[in-house]
């Protein structure tokens, strides 16, 4: 479903490729709103103005609370790296994304500024924050064409990661019953 020009531009980023592909999916689907098949799940995810957002997504004023700590410098470096990626990629991605959005059912982009909204600086920060806090790398080939080490968002697992204090117990049943939460 991704235009070849988008995939090619993302693949040129090497080690960032998996992150950028997942971030693209998040930004595009959030931009589609209620028309997205992921709308219900996306509605459960934190926004940048809520709790649980990593320091790299904090405002400058919020970040000042970390003073000269390692977390402060790590967050600043992460923000700078993300801004540089966006500035480098968006001029190459925007034409292909606009064409794909205009051709999509319902014409997501047809003159309505879909790409500008869906791929705004805030959305890049939001998508990267979600990856930083919710993405996992698969330990081995997982079927469905996913190789070991593939970066994924697993909706069930990310719902388990919503509080500092554990409040969920997961048990596996050996008789083919799968796993169940308690």
């Amino acid at each position: 479903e991704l235009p070849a020009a988008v995939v090619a531009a993302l693949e040129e980023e090497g080690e960032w490729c998996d992150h950028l592909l997942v971030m693209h999916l998040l930004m595009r689907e959030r931009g589609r709103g209620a028309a997205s098949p992921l709308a219900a799940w996306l509605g459960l995810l934190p926004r940048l103005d809520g709790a649980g957002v990593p320091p790299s997504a904090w405002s400058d004023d919020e970040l000042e609370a970390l003073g000269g700590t390692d977390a402060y410098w790590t967050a600043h470096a992460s923000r700078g790296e993300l801004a540089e990626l966006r500035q480098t990629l968006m001029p190459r991605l925007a034409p292909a994304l606009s064409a794909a959005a205009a051709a999509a059912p319902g014409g997501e982009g047809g003159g309505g500024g879909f790409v500008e909204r869906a791929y705004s600086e805030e959305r890049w920060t939001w998508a990267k924050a979600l990856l930083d806090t919710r993405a996992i790398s698969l330990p081995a080939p997982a079927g469905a064409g996913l190789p070991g080490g593939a970066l994924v968002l697993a909706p069930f697992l990310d719902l388990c990661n919503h509080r500092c204090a554990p409040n969920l117990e997961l048990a596996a049943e050996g008789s083919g019953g799968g796993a169940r939460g308690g």
Side-chain angles (χ1 to χ4, degrees):
E1 189 174 324
L2 281 175
V6 171
V7 173
L10 297 180
E11 286 178 342
E12 286 177 18
E13 295 304 317
E15 68 183 50
W16 275 93
C17 184
D18 284 351
H19 285 78
L20 292 169
L21 287 168
V22 176
M23 288 170 59
H24 163 74
L25 172 72
L26 286 167
M27 290 183 281
R28 183 191 68 203
E29 294 305 315
R30 183 167 172 210
R32 293 175 68 191
S36 170
L38 303 176
W41 175 64
L42 289 169
L44 296 173
L45 297 174
R47 304 274 185 208
L48 287 178
D49 59 359
V53 176
S56 60
W58 291 2
S59 71
D60 287 337
D61 290 340
E62 292 169 322
L63 203 52
E64 282 302 316
L66 295 177
T69 67
D70 288 343
Y72 176 86
W73 297 113
T74 300
H76 268 291
S78 179
R79 288 166 64 174
E81 192 172 34
L82 184 62
E84 183 178 333
L85 266 174
R86 184 174 185 276
Q87 286 177 330
T88 301
L89 284 173
M90 280 311 290
R92 296 186 342 226
L93 297 178
L97 292 171
S98 293
E108 314 172 320
F114 175 80
V115 170
E116 292 78 13
R117 285 189 317 276
Y119 297 89
S120 68
E121 183 177 348
E122 179 181 341
R123 292 279 173 90
W124 276 72
T125 302
W126 171 80
K128 179 68 167 80
L130 288 176
L131 254 78
D132 288 348
T133 59
R134 288 172 164 67
I136 59 170
S137 293
L138 298 177
L146 294 174
L151 187 68
V152 298
L153 289 173
F156 174 74
L157 292 177
D158 75 332
L159 291 174
C160 294
N161 179 25
H162 71 285
R163 289 201 179 149
C164 293
N167 64 351
L168 177 71
E169 180 182 323
L170 186 65
E173 296 178 357
S175 62
R180 69 175 200 280

